[in-house]
Amino acid sequence: MKRVIIINCILLHFFANAQKTNIKDPFNFKITEVKGDLNNDKLDDKVIVVQDTINEFGPFKLEIFFANSKGDYKSMATSTKIIAPKFPNGRDGFLSGNSLENITIKKNILIVNYGLLRGHLEHKFRFQNGNFELIGYSAAYLDNPEIIRIIDFNLSTGIRIEKLGKVGSDEVKIKPTKKIVIRPLPKIEDVEPFENDLY
């Protein structure tokens, strides 16, 4: 009897470990991949965006890889927040009209462009202090059917400029410039669109 119990325990342990190793990454559908130098070493690093198409919210994952001189890549940062899910209220809910436009790399800066139903968001990240930190945020969107709100926030300096324009008019009202110092700067892993009034 003891032998049967021991064998059953061994088999149970074996199958439990086998199931763990067979679990695949649910983010298996590639949306985009871009290359460019992110750490100023003259090598083309890469950023990949993948989606979990099984999950009812359709979440995305952005992963950043640094290249080395041998042509290999090392994962440096991963975010499942910086790109809002495709179905924020589930597949049976309404679509928000918001979606990823593109990812670009310019002058060692990673730029995530996000389209709104009536506007646009842009987040800029630089690799510094061992992390990808948010250094810039800009937005332009309809605040109501008549007013366009434009925001430019340089998180490195803390300078935040906000403008209001009337649809169909060249008239622009510039609100008083604010200095908002955020330290430490937000990391890409923690930045989530629409969850913060500042960025």
Side-chain angles (χ1 to χ4, degrees), residues 61-141:
K61 178 172 74 173
L62 180 148
E63 191 163 7
I64 303 167
F65 299 86
F66 279 176
N68 64 28
S69 56
K70 297 178 182 177
D72 299 322
Y73 291 94
K74 178 183 178 183
S75 178
M76 294 302 295
T78 301
S79 173
T80 55
K81 294 180 179 179
I82 187 58
I83 304 169
K86 184 173 184 178
F87 307 106
N89 299 291
R91 290 185 197 279
D92 296 331
F94 69 91
L95 289 174
S96 64
N98 305 332
S99 64
L100 174 70
E101 283 184 356
N102 59 48
I103 306 282
T104 59
I105 297 171
K106 293 179 183 173
K107 297 182 180 179
N108 311 120
I109 294 173
L110 172 63
I111 304 167
V112 180
N113 290 298
Y114 205 79
L116 308 177
L117 188 60
R118 294 182 183 87
H120 176 264
L121 300 178
E122 181 178 272
H123 292 87
K124 294 181 178 180
F125 298 91
R126 180 190 292 134
F127 185 70
Q128 54 192 27
N129 304 314
N131 298 294
F132 279 89
E133 296 181 335
L134 182 66
I135 60 165
Y137 166 77
S138 61
Y141 56 89

Side-chain angles (χ1 to χ4, degrees), residues 166-182:
K166 195 167 184 180
V167 174
S169 169
D170 292 336
E171 184 183 332
V172 175
K173 176 185 176 187
I174 300 176
K175 298 183 84 175
T177 299
K178 292 181 181 178
K179 184 153 187 179
I180 304 170
V181 177
I182 300 174

Side-chain angles (χ1 to χ4, degrees), residues 11-30:
L11 288 173
L12 183 63
H13 179 74
F14 173 78
F15 285 120
N17 283 336
Q19 283 184 335
K20 283 180 188 174
T21 57
N22 285 334
I23 294 174
K24 294 182 180 177
D25 186 349
F27 293 92
N28 57 10
F29 182 75
K30 186 189 282 189

Side-chain angles (χ1 to χ4, degrees), residues 4-60:
V4 171
I5 292 172
I6 290 171
I7 290 171
N8 282 340
C9 287
I10 291 170
L11 288 173
L12 183 63
H13 179 74
F14 173 78
F15 285 120
N17 283 336
Q19 283 184 335
K20 283 180 188 174
T21 57
N22 285 334
I23 294 174
K24 294 182 180 177
D25 186 349
F27 293 92
N28 57 10
F29 182 75
K30 186 189 282 189
I31 300 298
T32 189
E33 177 178 327
V34 295
K35 290 187 177 181
D37 187 2
L38 287 165
N39 56 350
N40 206 20
D41 63 357
K42 311 302 182 201
L43 297 173
D44 272 350
D45 307 304
K46 69 179 177 181
V47 180
I48 297 176
V49 176
V50 288
Q51 184 182 22
D52 179 349
T53 57
I54 304 300
N55 185 298
E56 78 164 299
F57 299 102
F60 296 92

